[in-house]
Short mmCIF file of all heavy atoms in Angstrom, two decimals:
data_model
loop_
_atom_site.label_atom_id
_atom_site.label_comp_id
_atom_site.label_asym_id
_atom_site.label_seq_id
_atom_site.Cartn_x
_atom_site.Cartn_y
_atom_site.Cartn_z
N LEU A 236 102.13 224.02 0.78
CA LEU A 236 101.94 222.62 0.41
C LEU A 236 102.78 222.33 -0.84
O LEU A 236 103.13 223.24 -1.57
CB LEU A 236 100.48 222.32 0.10
CG LEU A 236 99.45 222.50 1.22
CD1 LEU A 236 98.08 222.06 0.73
CD2 LEU A 236 99.84 221.74 2.47
N GLU A 237 103.08 221.08 -1.04
CA GLU A 237 103.67 220.68 -2.31
C GLU A 237 102.53 220.32 -3.26
O GLU A 237 101.36 220.25 -2.87
CB GLU A 237 104.65 219.52 -2.09
CG GLU A 237 105.86 219.94 -1.27
CD GLU A 237 106.86 218.82 -1.04
OE1 GLU A 237 106.64 217.70 -1.57
OE2 GLU A 237 107.86 219.05 -0.33
N ASP A 238 102.86 220.09 -4.53
CA ASP A 238 101.81 219.92 -5.54
C ASP A 238 101.37 218.46 -5.69
O ASP A 238 100.74 218.10 -6.69
CB ASP A 238 102.25 220.48 -6.89
CG ASP A 238 103.45 219.74 -7.48
OD1 ASP A 238 104.07 218.93 -6.75
OD2 ASP A 238 103.77 219.96 -8.66
N ASP A 239 101.70 217.63 -4.69
CA ASP A 239 101.31 216.22 -4.76
C ASP A 239 100.90 215.71 -3.38
O ASP A 239 101.47 214.75 -2.87
CB ASP A 239 102.44 215.37 -5.35
CG ASP A 239 103.76 215.53 -4.60
OD1 ASP A 239 103.84 216.41 -3.71
OD2 ASP A 239 104.71 214.78 -4.89
N VAL A 240 99.92 216.38 -2.78
CA VAL A 240 99.50 216.01 -1.43
C VAL A 240 97.99 215.78 -1.37
O VAL A 240 97.23 216.27 -2.22
CB VAL A 240 99.88 217.07 -0.38
CG1 VAL A 240 101.37 217.33 -0.38
CG2 VAL A 240 99.11 218.36 -0.60
N ARG A 241 97.58 215.06 -0.36
CA ARG A 241 96.17 214.84 -0.04
C ARG A 241 95.89 215.48 1.31
O ARG A 241 96.72 215.41 2.21
CB ARG A 241 95.88 213.33 0.01
CG ARG A 241 94.39 212.99 0.08
CD ARG A 241 94.14 211.52 -0.20
NE ARG A 241 94.49 210.67 0.93
CZ ARG A 241 95.52 209.85 0.96
NH1 ARG A 241 96.34 209.79 -0.08
NH2 ARG A 241 95.75 209.09 2.00
N CYS A 242 94.73 216.08 1.47
CA CYS A 242 94.41 216.84 2.68
C CYS A 242 93.47 216.08 3.60
O CYS A 242 92.62 215.31 3.14
CB CYS A 242 93.76 218.18 2.31
SG CYS A 242 94.72 219.19 1.17
N SER A 243 93.60 216.35 4.88
CA SER A 243 92.66 215.83 5.86
C SER A 243 91.38 216.65 5.83
O SER A 243 91.39 217.84 5.50
CB SER A 243 93.29 215.89 7.25
OG SER A 243 92.38 215.44 8.24
N LYS A 244 90.27 216.02 6.18
CA LYS A 244 88.99 216.70 6.16
C LYS A 244 88.97 217.83 7.19
O LYS A 244 89.41 217.67 8.31
CB LYS A 244 87.86 215.71 6.44
CG LYS A 244 86.47 216.26 6.18
CD LYS A 244 85.44 215.18 6.26
CE LYS A 244 84.05 215.71 5.92
NZ LYS A 244 83.97 216.22 4.55
N ASN A 245 88.43 218.99 6.77
CA ASN A 245 88.31 220.16 7.64
C ASN A 245 89.65 220.60 8.23
O ASN A 245 89.72 221.02 9.38
CB ASN A 245 87.31 219.89 8.76
CG ASN A 245 85.92 219.57 8.23
OD1 ASN A 245 85.41 218.48 8.44
ND2 ASN A 245 85.28 220.52 7.55
N PHE A 246 90.70 220.53 7.43
CA PHE A 246 92.04 220.89 7.92
C PHE A 246 92.10 222.34 8.39
O PHE A 246 92.83 222.66 9.34
CB PHE A 246 93.10 220.63 6.84
CG PHE A 246 92.95 221.45 5.60
CD1 PHE A 246 93.53 222.71 5.49
CD2 PHE A 246 92.24 220.96 4.52
CE1 PHE A 246 93.39 223.46 4.34
CE2 PHE A 246 92.08 221.70 3.35
CZ PHE A 246 92.66 222.96 3.27
N LEU A 247 91.34 223.23 7.75
CA LEU A 247 91.38 224.64 8.16
C LEU A 247 90.86 224.81 9.58
O LEU A 247 91.42 225.58 10.38
CB LEU A 247 90.57 225.51 7.21
CG LEU A 247 90.46 226.99 7.61
CD1 LEU A 247 91.84 227.65 7.65
CD2 LEU A 247 89.52 227.75 6.71
N THR A 248 89.80 224.11 9.93
CA THR A 248 89.23 224.21 11.28
C THR A 248 90.26 223.79 12.32
O THR A 248 90.38 224.42 13.38
CB THR A 248 87.97 223.34 11.40
OG1 THR A 248 86.97 223.84 10.50
CG2 THR A 248 87.42 223.36 12.81
N VAL A 249 91.01 222.74 12.04
CA VAL A 249 92.05 222.28 12.96
C VAL A 249 93.15 223.32 13.10
O VAL A 249 93.59 223.65 14.20
CB VAL A 249 92.64 220.94 12.48
CG1 VAL A 249 93.75 220.48 13.42
CG2 VAL A 249 91.56 219.88 12.39
N ILE A 250 93.59 223.87 11.97
CA ILE A 250 94.64 224.88 11.99
C ILE A 250 94.20 226.10 12.79
O ILE A 250 94.95 226.63 13.62
CB ILE A 250 95.05 225.26 10.56
CG1 ILE A 250 95.75 224.08 9.88
CG2 ILE A 250 95.96 226.49 10.56
CD1 ILE A 250 95.99 224.27 8.40
N LYS A 251 92.98 226.55 12.56
CA LYS A 251 92.46 227.70 13.31
C LYS A 251 92.43 227.41 14.81
O LYS A 251 92.75 228.27 15.63
CB LYS A 251 91.05 228.06 12.83
CG LYS A 251 91.00 228.74 11.48
CD LYS A 251 89.60 229.24 11.16
CE LYS A 251 89.21 230.38 12.06
NZ LYS A 251 87.90 230.96 11.69
N LYS A 252 92.04 226.22 15.16
CA LYS A 252 91.96 225.85 16.58
C LYS A 252 93.33 225.88 17.23
O LYS A 252 93.51 226.40 18.33
CB LYS A 252 91.35 224.45 16.69
CG LYS A 252 91.06 224.00 18.11
CD LYS A 252 90.39 222.64 18.11
CE LYS A 252 90.08 222.17 19.52
NZ LYS A 252 89.44 220.84 19.54
N VAL A 253 94.33 225.35 16.53
CA VAL A 253 95.69 225.35 17.07
C VAL A 253 96.23 226.77 17.19
O VAL A 253 96.81 227.15 18.21
CB VAL A 253 96.61 224.49 16.18
CG1 VAL A 253 98.07 224.67 16.60
CG2 VAL A 253 96.22 223.03 16.26
N ILE A 254 96.03 227.60 16.16
CA ILE A 254 96.51 228.98 16.20
C ILE A 254 95.85 229.76 17.33
O ILE A 254 96.51 230.50 18.07
CB ILE A 254 96.26 229.67 14.84
CG1 ILE A 254 97.20 229.08 13.78
CG2 ILE A 254 96.49 231.18 14.95
CD1 ILE A 254 96.95 229.60 12.37
N THR A 255 94.54 229.57 17.50
CA THR A 255 93.82 230.26 18.57
C THR A 255 94.35 229.86 19.94
O THR A 255 94.50 230.68 20.84
CB THR A 255 92.31 229.95 18.49
OG1 THR A 255 91.81 230.40 17.23
CG2 THR A 255 91.55 230.66 19.60
N SER A 256 94.67 228.58 20.10
CA SER A 256 95.17 228.10 21.39
C SER A 256 96.53 228.69 21.72
O SER A 256 96.95 228.70 22.88
CB SER A 256 95.25 226.57 21.39
OG SER A 256 96.32 226.11 20.59
N ARG A 257 97.25 229.18 20.70
CA ARG A 257 98.58 229.76 20.92
C ARG A 257 98.57 231.28 20.91
O ARG A 257 99.61 231.91 20.80
CB ARG A 257 99.54 229.23 19.86
CG ARG A 257 100.22 227.99 20.38
CD ARG A 257 100.60 227.00 19.35
NE ARG A 257 101.22 225.86 20.03
CZ ARG A 257 100.54 224.96 20.75
NH1 ARG A 257 99.24 225.05 20.87
NH2 ARG A 257 101.16 223.97 21.37
N GLU A 258 97.42 231.85 21.04
CA GLU A 258 97.30 233.29 21.09
C GLU A 258 98.08 233.83 22.30
O GLU A 258 97.93 233.35 23.42
CB GLU A 258 95.83 233.70 21.21
CG GLU A 258 95.60 235.19 21.16
CD GLU A 258 94.12 235.54 21.23
OE1 GLU A 258 93.29 234.63 21.07
OE2 GLU A 258 93.81 236.72 21.43
#
Side-chain angles (χ1 to χ4, degrees):
L236 298 184
E237 294 181 2
D238 64 348
D239 55 353
V240 303
R241 191 167 76 251
C242 305
S243 178
K244 191 171 183 62
N245 300 117
F246 63 88
L247 175 62
T248 297
V249 178
I250 292 171
K251 286 188 69 175
K252 186 177 181 181
V253 170
I254 289 175
T255 299
S256 73
R257 268 150 181 74
E258 185 178 348

